[in-house]
Amino acid sequence: MSITRLELQNYLDGMLRVSEISDYCPNGLQVEGASKIEKIVTGVTASQALVDAAIEAKADALIVHHGYFWKGESQVIAGMKKRRLQALLSNDINLFAYHLPLDVHPEFGNNRQLASLLGIQNISAVSGVKPVGVVMHGNFEEEIEGSALQVKLQKLLGRNVLIEGPVSKPISKLAWCTGGGQGFIEQAVELGVDAFITGEVSEQTVHTAREMGITFFAAGHHATERYGVKSLGEHIGQQFDVPVEFIDIDNPA
């Protein structure tokens, strides 16, 4: 089976509400390739390694969370950027990228998928934070000690997880933001939750966690954002009966 580029673009843009969400990059089709799509590869970031893997897999389309053309970057097509684009264009591969729209989607979003992985219940978006769904909160059915949650995260995500703040404190209520969401720790504190999970850590984040008594976890930008694009691809494969392959290019960040 196959799908046209326009059909896939319209479906993804509509479902992920691209027109409603302001972002730091263009969401949707970033590089035009073949008009007929018979194989799709999904992955977190459109790195050269993932592009090469998509070529090897004979994909007609690549769907990622982190694409190209970020606000503030050089507009010159040279070096690494040239090589990536040249590989896509010479192999007629479409590149679709969805950043914040994929973070916040209520079913396939990174935040929703991480919650499912951890078994979090009573999930809702934190009000007052835009776009809606970029920070979420919920609770565990049973309390879990901070150090035990660290071990659980490490097993599920397959990487070391930083923990700061009270490590033995029982955790019931928590907030989370996948990827680079450490700047939202103060909003998490205001919610009165026991813990905050994100991907990255900054120097000041550690002091905030210690001084405000909230257990903080930095579980990896890449590791916390694998699951949105993976689940999106699985949905596309079922919806349109097109083969979709998720390829994970490991990244310790």
Side-chain angles (χ1 to χ4, degrees):
M1 296 294 291
S2 65
I3 183 174
T4 69
R5 178 182 61 245
L6 186 58
E7 285 174 328
L8 181 59
Q9 180 180 358
N10 288 341
Y11 183 81
L12 288 171
D13 287 0
M15 183 180 64
L16 295 172
R17 300 183 296 114
V18 165
S19 63
E20 302 174 28
I21 298 173
S22 178
D23 209 337
Y24 319 105
C25 61
N27 287 295
L29 180 68
Q30 291 191 337
V31 178
E32 182 180 301
S35 60
K36 183 179 180 181
I37 296 170
E38 297 181 325
K39 171 70 182 286
I40 299 171
V41 163
T42 62
V44 177
T45 300
S47 63
Q48 188 69 58
L50 183 59
V51 171
D52 291 344
I55 294 169
E56 180 69 22
K58 302 187 184 307
D60 306 299
L62 177 58
I63 303 175
V64 299
H65 178 49
H66 301 133
Y68 303 151
F69 313 118
W70 298 93
K71 183 179 179 181
E73 74 175 17
S74 172
Q75 296 179 348
V76 176
I77 307 299
M80 180 178 72
K81 186 184 292 185
K82 177 201 170 185
R83 292 190 295 273
R84 290 175 173 182
L85 291 172
Q86 189 172 50
L88 288 167
L89 291 167
S90 63
N91 288 277
D92 216 14
I93 297 175
N94 295 281
L95 175 65
F96 294 89
Y98 296 94
H99 184 231
L100 290 179
L102 187 56
D103 283 320
V104 305
H105 192 269
E107 183 177 358
F108 305 113
N110 287 318
N111 280 331
R112 186 62 182 84
Q113 290 297 312
L114 184 63
S116 296
L117 190 69
L118 292 172
I120 299 171
Q121 302 179 344
N122 303 313
I123 300 164
S124 60
V126 174
S127 62
V129 182
K130 300 293 183 179
V132 175
V134 77
V135 183
M136 305 191 80
H137 63 114
N139 63 272
F140 290 121
E141 184 177 3
E142 296 182 0
E143 288 185 344
I144 182 171
E145 196 171 272
S147 56
L149 180 54
Q150 179 191 27
V151 171
K152 181 177 181 177
L153 281 164
Q154 290 178 160
K155 287 180 178 178
L156 289 171
L157 301 179
R159 58 155 290 144
N160 290 330
V161 172
L162 172 73
I163 181 172
E164 271 297 340
V167 300
S168 58
K169 176 182 176 180
I171 295 168
S172 175
K173 298 182 294 181
L174 69 161
W176 64 96
C177 172
T178 63
Q182 65 269 40
F184 292 114
I185 189 172
E186 292 189 24
Q187 283 92 333
V189 170
E190 291 173 3
L191 286 170
V193 298
D194 306 308
F196 179 59
I197 301 172
T198 188
E200 298 185 13
V201 62
S202 297
E203 189 271 347
Q204 64 268 27
T205 317
V206 173
H207 296 295
T208 301
R210 290 172 178 172
E211 294 175 32
M212 301 304 293
I214 188 171
T215 308
F216 171 80
F217 300 89
H221 194 133
H222 175 88
T224 57
E225 294 194 329
R226 287 191 197 110
Y227 305 99
V229 72
K230 185 175 185 293
S231 66
L232 177 64
E234 290 168 353
H235 170 74
I236 293 298
Q238 294 170 358
Q239 184 77 12
F240 296 102
D241 194 23
V242 176
V244 180
E245 179 183 0
F246 173 72
I247 298 178
D248 189 28
I249 306 297
D250 186 52
N251 188 329

